Amino acid sequence: YVRHAAILVEGPLDVFRVGPGEVASLGIKYTKKQLLRLSNFPLRVVCFDNEEEAQRQARRVCNTLEGLPGETINVCLKSKDPGSATEEEIQQLRKDYLE
C-alpha cells in the first residue's frame, strides 16, 4: 500500500495506527535490504519513537539514504511513538507526506 512515499516506523502496531503508506523495520535496527527497498521511493520519512536511542538510529537511516535519489526526512512526533500518537498528529503526518 505504499505509493510515492514510505513512512518507516519501528513496529507493526505503529503501521496499524497510521495505515497505508507505512512500513516497519521491526525495531530500531534495520538491514541493508530494508534500506535498499526503502530507497526505491522518492519520498522516505523516518518516524521512530521519540526516545534518544531511537532518534539516533533514525538519523543514521536518514544519513545513509541522503545520498540517493529522492528525499529522506526524519520526523519526531510529540507522542512517544506513532502507535500512541493523537489523531491530530496522525492526520498531520498523513497530510504532510502521504497525500
Side-chain angles (χ1 to χ4, degrees), residues 28-92:
I28 60 173
K29 296 190 179 193
Y30 52 88
T31 65
K32 289 180 184 179
K33 188 173 184 175
Q34 287 173 317
L35 292 184
L36 181 62
R37 293 190 77 186
L38 195 60
S39 72
N40 291 316
F41 297 98
L43 177 57
R44 303 166 295 261
V45 179
V46 181
C47 188
F48 283 179
D49 294 2
N50 65 11
E51 298 164 344
E52 185 178 329
E53 181 60 27
Q55 284 303 301
R56 191 172 11 258
Q57 282 293 89
R59 288 188 297 275
R60 285 184 188 126
V61 170
C62 291
N63 290 339
T64 301
L65 294 172
E66 76 179 351
L68 300 173
E71 183 177 10
T72 306
I73 301 167
N74 184 30
V75 172
C76 185
L77 300 176
K78 291 178 185 174
S79 299
K80 177 184 177 280
D81 61 27
S84 64
T86 65
E87 186 61 31
E88 291 146 350
E89 283 181 297
I90 297 300
Q91 291 304 320
Q92 191 65 51

Side-chain angles (χ1 to χ4, degrees), residues 6-17:
I7 299 177
L8 177 65
V9 295
E10 290 181 42
L13 295 179
D14 298 329
V15 171
F16 297 149
R17 176 73 174 100

